[in-house]
Amino acid sequence: MNRIIEKEFFSENVVRLEIDAPRIAKARRAGHFVIVKIGDTGERIPLTIAAANPERGTITLVIQRVGVSSRRITELEVGDELTDLVGPLGEATHIENVGTVLACGGGVGVAPLLPIVEALKKAGNRVVTILAARTKDLIILEEQIAKYSDEVIVMTDDGSYGEKGLVTDGMKMVMEREKVDQSVVIGPAIMMKFASLTTKEYNVPTVASLNTIMVDGTGMCGACRITVGGKTKFVCVDGPEFDAHQVDFDEMLLRLNGYKEIEKNAEQDYLNNKDK
Amino acid sequence: MAVTKEFLKEEREQAWRVDIRKLLKNKERTALTRVHMGEVDAKKRILSNVEVNTGLTEEEAMAEARRCLDCPDPTCISGCPVEINIPKFIKRIEQGDVLQAAQVLKETSTLPAVCGRVCPQEKQCEAQCFYQLKMKKEPVAIGHLERFAADYERESGQISVPEVAAANGVKIAVIGSGPAGLAFAGDMAKAGYDVTIFEALHEIGGVLKYGIPEFRLPNSIVDVEINNLEKMGVKFENNFIVGRTATMEDLKEEGFEGFFTASGAGLPRFMNIPGENYIGILSSNEYLTRVNLMDAANPKTDTPIVSGKNVAVIGGGNTAMDSVRTAKRLGAERAMIVYRRSMEEMPARVEEVKHALEEGIEFLNLTNPTEYFADETGRVSKMRVQKMELGEPDASGRRRPVVLEGSEYDIDVDTVVVSVGVSPNPLIPSSLPQLETTKWGTIVVDEEKLQTSIPEMFAGGDIVRGGATVILAMGDGRNAAAAMHKYLQDKQNV
């Protein structure tokens, strides 16, 4: 169980893992996530399911190295097992034919965006997808996204690939030229904040998939809580997707930094110990 | 599986019991005074997670056992939600046969070492003890004796596994591995069923593992009792959320015929006051899960925790006491209980409050938070509270706290643990639309049989009661097992 079947590097710090998990592969829908724990002393971290193959009994996770736990999991090799893997968790994405959808993925946010784009396309929508990253090397899954998109626009901060500019520049361009009925944004919290401010200007209803701190992922602790429309919600059971125009992103950004210092030190310790 | 009066009478007339009763006259027994359990000194114990109560020695246990009068009508049993044959196990201790005493506990209880530690005996068995009821004396220390017998057996290395009936091949699914699920599984395994417990977390035990701290209930002790269930043939599947990982329909297709839902009341409540989402404000569930389940205070583990110098815990229940005492052990300079009623109304066990006071916990009673303030990084730095006074009794019979106008003041805090109650976990009900629930989200059951609106599904513990106690959950587990056994037998005979 939970054995790694395939491992692929998208870039130096972004890894795709295909994992044997037949039950989760069968039960999951677009938008669902899992909680993973590596080793007996590991922490529980949430990761969105990027793809699933029910016939093969596998799920795919895309992980960016940002700290100790993401390093631990990306250092596993084919044949290794994830100590703990539970899911699928969260509410699945609400999918219907709304007309034209503008799907925006920032960095590894493109991985969780992929199943949503696929489902939206299969539901009959016209899908325009924007892939955004700092630089060319960090653009992932372009081919797979293109398969389910009517148009793909690539934006890089440094112009090393596609158009030069931020995700919001691409979004404005699309919304200026055609009527967009719905937008989906997934990426770093700061990117989702500005993307949703942009769609608000154009009155385009927008869904964001939030990536808060989680512990259990089943609604029993409230570590992942955020304010949506003035009310406290738990991202793990009420989300992870919410009406982006109702989300208090500033609060979310603050809460994400709650353990920043500890996390940074832990990563440094981890790297130091590894060198020894 | 119920304990009848006739059965108890028959057992009481056994020769060994009659002999022991003859050893001392009742007058001599009642002249003895209650033995008190040793405790690790407060100054020492707050430096680690060491268990506070040290347990009785064999001599102490035998001395205390002599106080029990072996009453013809043992009222104590009626105070025990799992109907432990109390006089029988106590008389085995008096006889000096502690291993036999431990076996008596296991006739009806799945987790004696746990219950002996965390049950509020003062409200249950010991409240119904003859000494307490008729003589206004300190009751027999039933809880301490139960703990002694279970610990003695475990330490002897000769743990007995309860007898299990011949396998009947009927597959039963238990949803949740907390005290209700474990008690249910134990009884069903004894009756010959093929039982699998499905647990959402990576560890078995529910609140016994993530909630109750090591200084009250060491996880190693919970594991021994879980091991015992394993030896009885109970299977465990962790990281498995029924309704998500697989549906009830999927499990039916895999041959499961009976379901017991014991998914608990894990959803924490917040007060919805301004600033409650600042960094450093956590639910007691999160705080305790990080420390107990994830061992976050241990530098060798990956899960972080910010321990805090000035920690305020909001609430007055056992969970609040566990949280504030945990904060003290994590190095808090001020660890405070902030409770809107007075000491007398506190729902926490008297013993836990006493221990907390000894450990230097401050009690800010008749005090309620109204708002939080943060520093420039978003971390909580101040808490505004108002003073309360007690007014007329409310529906629950407790005097209602009323705000004292103009009494507001601020307290410096860097960690706040909100412990104002829990709601039923919605995961199971939300995956089964045909399951009848109340407006509070608890599952509706037939009171006696604990059967839900889905005939093959029974439910018990906090998912039916809302936040209650470990032992009530275990009692539900036992009752549901008896009822499901009857239901499945009747179904077979039709």
Side-chain angles (χ1 to χ4, degrees), chain A residues 3 38 53 56-57 62 88 94 105 107 117 128 142 175 228 231:
Chain A
R3 193 175 295 280
I38 308 299
N53 186 335
R56 209 173 161 193
V62 176
H94 176 74
V117 164
V128 179
E142 186 184 352
M175 289 187 291
V228 182
K231 290 207 174 84

Side-chain angles (χ1 to χ4, degrees), chain B residues 219-238:
Chain B
N219 281 349
S220 57
I221 281 171
V222 182
D223 280 333
V224 169
E225 310 231 57
I226 290 167
N227 259 336
N228 227 28
L229 279 173
E230 220 160 10
K231 286 185 201 147
M232 291 164 68
V234 175
K235 295 170 207 155
F236 294 94
E237 281 230 34
N238 55 5

Side-chain angles (χ1 to χ4, degrees), chain A residues 77-262:
Chain A
E77 300 299 339
V78 170
D80 290 345
E81 282 180 16
L82 276 56
T83 316
D84 293 285
L85 171 69
V86 61
L89 293 162
E91 288 294 320
T93 308
H94 176 74
I95 301 286
E96 63 175 324
N97 187 343
V98 293
T100 300
V101 181
L102 177 59
C104 312
V108 280
V110 176
L113 189 68
L114 176 61
I116 297 171
V117 164
E118 179 182 346
L120 285 167
K121 185 67 207 161
K122 285 180 176 163
N125 291 286
R126 169 177 154 74
V127 182
V128 179
T129 307
I130 301 179
L131 306 183
R134 265 195 341 271
T135 182
K136 184 183 177 189
D137 289 348
L138 300 174
I139 295 289
I140 60 169
L141 294 168
E142 186 184 352
E143 206 176 299
Q144 291 87 332
I145 283 278
K147 203 170 145 194
Y148 301 108
S149 303
D150 294 270
E151 185 185 349
V152 178
I153 298 164
V154 176
M155 306 290 304
T156 49
D157 293 8
D158 61 2
S160 53
Y161 184 50
E163 306 280 322
K164 182 170 161 51
L166 298 171
V167 68
T168 45
D169 298 325
M171 293 172 75
K172 278 181 192 157
M173 184 190 85
V174 176
M175 289 187 291
E176 285 293 337
R177 78 170 188 217
E178 67 179 298
K179 184 181 174 294
V180 172
D181 299 288
Q182 164 93 54
S183 182
V184 182
V185 299
I186 308 182
I190 191 80
M191 169 259 179
M192 292 194 281
K193 174 187 169 177
F194 285 103
S196 84
L197 285 174
T198 306
T199 57
K200 207 169 179 178
E201 275 173 44
Y202 291 84
N203 274 321
V204 175
T206 301
V207 169
S209 179
L210 306 187
N211 47 356
T212 51
I213 289 172
M214 286 190 192
V215 182
D216 62 287
T218 63
M220 63 171 249
C221 84
C224 64
R225 69 194 191 276
I226 46 144
T227 305
V228 182
K231 290 207 174 84
T232 294
K233 298 275 181 190
F234 289 6
V235 172
C236 70
V237 287
D238 300 320
E241 287 168 22
F242 294 94
D243 176 349
H245 297 157
Q246 300 290 321
V247 173
D248 184 341
F249 280 107
D250 293 329
E251 177 190 274
M252 180 180 157
L253 280 160
L254 277 181
R255 286 183 63 79
L256 278 171
N257 287 334
Y259 296 93
K260 197 145 212 169
E261 200 65 25
I262 301 181

Side-chain angles (χ1 to χ4, degrees), chain A residues 72 84 90 220-221 225, chain B residues 239 244 276-277 283 285 302:
Chain A
R72 282 198 203 288
D84 293 285
M220 63 171 249
C221 84
R225 69 194 191 276
Chain B
N239 294 318
R244 296 265 177 188
E276 208 173 19
N277 289 346
S283 71
N285 268 7
D302 292 345

